Amino acid sequence: GQQLNQSPQSMFIQEGEDVSMNCTSSSIFNTWLWYKQDPGEGPVLLIALYKAGELTSNGRLTAQFGITRKDSFLNISASIPSDVGIYFCAGPGDYKLSFGAGTTVTVRA
Amino acid sequence: DAGVTQSPTHLIKTRGQQVTLRCSPKSGHDTVSWYQQALGQGPQFIFQYYEEEERQRGNFPDRFSGHQFPNYSSELNVNALLLGDSALYLCASSLGAGSTDTQYFGPGTRLTVL
């Protein structure tokens, strides 16, 4: 099956920092999706990318669809405390989404 | 506009028992997908229901079964529970079979098997 690898596995952020995470795949995707999951909640779609090379923003979030169609990255600028959570990349396939294992973002005390 | 709802929120069962989880899709959606999310992992696709039929299935044993009702709500049944079935079970709804990038997720049911 399709394997999505996310890095880093976890990160600590300080308020105001810019953070970056990425996702690579063993297969080509025609769409890349980025989700955020808060404790006790289901994943919420942040950004959808539909074209190789595409750069898309949603507020302080920016994501890019890699040229090879096998990778994507997500940047968070000027992080705030509510950015903590788990960020997942996902690729759509036949009827289903394949998810990475997630990047856990925690605020550094 | 009601989003995806799931019940119950939490559930504790013992090995060998059977469990039924329920999902009501977002208003206007007709397709329900179920995912299992183990601790520290991303969601794994179990199956998708559309027009009251299972349209696609992930790599899960026959102990996992489902149903979709005429009002588009859905149930996930798991028989002969194993310790490894402990997970967060997520329901996602969408419009039209096969649709993936427009799936909306519910808050999940946390199942603990003792």
Side-chain angles (χ1 to χ4, degrees):
Chain A
Q2 293 158 329
Q3 185 107 6
L4 278 75
N5 299 302
Q6 289 190 244
S7 65
Q9 185 175 0
S10 62
M11 62 168 58
F12 290 88
I13 62 171
Q14 199 127 31
E15 190 171 350
E17 279 184 338
D18 295 347
V19 299
S20 182
M21 61 194 79
N22 71 349
C23 184
T24 59
S25 169
S26 56
S27 307
I28 288 174
F29 282 105
N30 292 319
T31 301
W32 279 93
L33 307 172
W34 284 93
Y35 285 84
K36 182 182 181 228
Q37 186 174 28
D38 292 326
E41 301 291 331
V44 174
L45 181 65
L46 298 174
I47 291 180
L49 300 159
Y50 297 104
K51 188 177 173 183
E54 178 183 357
L55 189 71
T56 297
S57 294
N58 178 7
R60 294 177 297 104
L61 306 176
T62 302
Q64 183 156 27
F65 192 149
I67 290 292
T68 66
R69 292 194 284 155
K70 287 187 174 183
D71 64 326
S72 177
F73 73 75
L74 176 70
N75 284 343
I76 306 172
S77 62
S79 53
I80 60 177
S82 62
D83 289 333
V84 301
I86 306 175
Y87 292 79
F88 292 99
C89 61
D94 291 336
Y95 297 89
K96 67 178 183 180
L97 293 171
S98 295
F99 285 84
T103 293
T104 301
V105 175
T106 311
V107 173
R108 183 186 294 134
Chain B
D1 179 20
V4 180
T5 60
Q6 293 187 242
S7 63
T9 306
H10 295 88
L11 205 51
I12 299 175
K13 293 285 189 180
T14 56
R15 279 177 296 176
Q17 284 190 311
Q18 179 264 344
V19 68
T20 297
L21 310 181
R22 295 176 176 84
C23 171
S24 290
K26 180 179 166 65
S27 177
H29 284 181
D30 58 5
T31 303
V32 173
S33 302
W34 287 92
Y35 291 80
Q36 180 195 66
Q37 186 177 18
L39 202 60
Q41 299 296 319
Q44 298 289 319
F45 175 75
I46 302 175
F47 41 53
Q48 184 182 89
Y49 276 84
Y50 173 71
E51 291 186 336
E52 301 179 48
E53 287 189 11
E54 183 182 295
R55 296 292 172 164
Q56 184 69 272
R57 187 178 185 93
N59 189 23
F60 281 81
D62 292 345
R63 298 186 298 108
F64 290 76
S65 63
H67 188 77
Q68 186 179 35
F69 299 94
N71 67 353
Y72 308 123
S73 66
S74 177
E75 287 182 350
L76 164 66
N77 301 294
V78 187
N79 294 323
L81 285 167
L82 304 174
L83 295 179
D85 294 332
S86 295
L88 180 68
Y89 288 85
L90 294 163
C91 167
S93 75
S94 54
L95 184 61
S99 55
T100 48
D101 61 323
T102 52
Q103 288 186 2
Y104 290 81
F105 286 84
T109 293
R110 171 73 63 187
L111 173 64
T112 302
V113 182
L114 302 176

